[in-house]
Amino acid sequence: MHDTARTVVIHEFGGPEVLRFEDRPLGEPGPGEVRIRHHACGLNFIDVYHRTGLYPLQLPHALGMEAAGVIEAVGEGVTHLEPGQRAAYAADPPGAYCEARVMPAAQVCPLPDGISFETAAAMMLKGMTVEYLFHRTTPLKRGDTVLFHAAAGGVGLIACQWAKSEGIKLIGTAGTDEKCRLAHFNGATHCINYRTENFVERVRELTDGKGVDAVMDSIGADTFEGSLDCLKPLGMMISFGNASGPVPPFNLGILAQKGSLKITRPTLFTHIANHTVCQAMARRLFGKVEGGEVKIHIDQRFHLENVADAHRALEARQTTGSTILEL
């Protein structure tokens, strides 16, 4: 066993330049913990939120929420994993940008042999996010229509395929015609280029003026008001991210004026806090991938040493699909 693991750490909040490398001691897992050696790590917008301080961490702190690798050791009480087993996770606390780590075992999931480490690292956080959006947030059934912003991103491309597999019509938005074509290829019924079209007007046209049953919005400030205007009466607004900045305070009375709308601000980590629920969500995701209903697109690869460049590309919206960090 190596005594230390190269780890990405921040000592202050800021831009990609605050990311630095440290060799951190590993040690043995305690009760309810595992030690996992990573083969690949995932990149997500929540990592940017942690780096900038939008989601504050107690500093210094390691970053990264998602990875896949091999279990090296298990602590007392861990029964669902064993040394030598392939595994993957999306989990608190941050610290996945590293060669290896000791961490709580409850959200680490056994990885089927048919799914590669790279695919798993690209899909755990994004795929389980889609799982809770479609199955644990508001009732959705075959024939319903949802609006999904950033449909060509890592979460978006999984959502397009997931919706198609369950007979749900997904109207996507994206920032270029190329990204719109990518979303459509992956199962979006329609995709709107928000730079050249008014997405609210276009959604109304596509739904014969009725609006959609639910909006799934990870953009935040820039799209929030328009998203509300896309909903049918009693529709559900699911605000699950802040890529353009947090949604400012608003008058709840607007929800009544626009048709008794509902709104929620969920997080993946609330859903996976329960071990049994987390493992069930992962199994459903693995089933979608192994069954061919969902293909994970890894469109960018960076070595862990170049993590700052990966953050810059993500923030500049220069990425499509998923991005992984290779070790």
Side-chain angles (χ1 to χ4, degrees):
M1 185 196 90
H2 302 285
D3 294 330
T4 61
R6 194 151 176 78
T7 304
V8 178
V9 180
I10 59 169
H11 287 256
E12 59 184 327
F13 300 119
E17 69 279 357
V18 303
L19 299 168
R20 64 174 69 177
F21 289 88
E22 296 179 2
D23 292 323
R24 289 196 156 188
L26 272 176
E28 295 296 324
E33 294 182 331
V34 295
R35 187 174 70 241
I36 182 169
R37 184 155 298 277
H38 293 152
H39 285 237
C41 310
L43 179 76
N44 296 282
F45 246 105
I46 192 172
D47 306 340
V48 174
Y49 304 156
H50 285 147
R51 192 202 72 220
T52 62
L54 179 63
Y55 295 174
L57 299 172
Q58 186 173 351
L59 301 179
H61 210 294
L63 292 190
M65 306 297 292
E66 174 182 50
V70 175
I71 302 297
E72 289 189 333
V74 302
E76 181 183 352
V78 177
T79 59
H80 70 291
L81 296 165
E82 59 186 30
Q85 190 169 13
R86 304 169 78 251
Y89 66 87
D92 268 329
Y97 290 178
C98 64
E99 295 172 326
R101 67 187 295 201
V102 172
M103 64 180 294
Q107 283 69 46
V108 181
C109 305
L111 180 64
D113 290 339
I115 299 175
S116 71
F117 292 120
E118 292 78 12
T119 296
M123 78 180 193
M124 291 301 290
L125 191 147
K126 302 170 190 67
M128 289 199 293
T129 294
V130 172
E131 199 274 353
Y132 87 68
L133 288 173
F134 280 84
H135 294 277
R136 300 172 192 273
T137 308
T138 190
L140 290 172
K141 63 184 183 301
R142 183 172 296 273
D144 284 349
T145 301
V146 303
L147 172 65
F148 201 102
H149 291 297
V155 179
L157 290 184
I158 296 173
C160 289
Q161 298 171 79
W162 200 291
K164 184 177 181 180
S165 76
E166 300 193 349
I168 294 169
K169 300 174 184 177
L170 185 145
I171 300 172
T173 71
T176 68
D177 289 343
E178 181 181 8
K179 288 184 176 182
C180 284
R181 285 191 291 270
L182 184 59
H184 194 267
F185 179 79
N186 280 274
T189 307
H190 304 279
C191 192
I192 302 162
N193 184 338
Y194 62 80
R195 297 190 189 278
T196 60
E197 293 186 278
N198 181 309
F199 75 83
V200 176
E201 293 178 359
R202 186 68 177 124
V203 166
R204 287 290 169 180
E205 291 174 6
L206 292 170
T207 60
D208 296 324
K210 297 175 183 177
V212 298
D213 297 283
V215 176
M216 301 176 180
D217 187 341
S218 64
I219 303 301
D222 287 355
T223 51
F224 181 75
E225 290 189 17
S227 292
L228 293 180
D229 289 334
C230 291
L231 285 164
K232 63 173 57 172
L234 305 177
M236 172 65 85
M237 171 67 183
I238 307 171
S239 177
F240 70 101
N242 317 280
S244 66
V247 175
F250 74 101
N251 179 359
L252 279 175
I254 292 173
L255 301 179
Q257 297 167 16
K258 293 182 181 294
S260 300
L261 304 180
K262 294 166 283 188
I263 187 167
T264 184
R265 179 56 175 91
T267 73
L268 171 64
F269 301 101
T270 306
H271 287 86
I272 65 173
N274 179 284
H275 166 74
T276 302
V277 172
C278 176
Q279 300 296 321
M281 291 171 68
R283 287 193 296 271
R284 179 178 270 157
L285 172 61
F286 295 152
K288 290 279 189 185
V289 173
E290 289 191 296
E293 292 177 297
V294 171
K295 176 179 171 56
I296 305 301
H297 295 264
I298 303 174
D299 293 340
Q300 298 79 213
R301 298 170 183 262
F302 295 83
H303 193 275
L304 183 61
E305 294 290 332
N306 299 319
V307 63
D309 291 336
H311 272 235
R312 291 185 185 99
L314 184 64
E315 289 182 280
R317 302 190 184 183
Q318 294 173 347
T319 65
T320 59
S322 297
T323 301
I324 62 169
L325 303 171
E326 299 175 320
L327 289 96

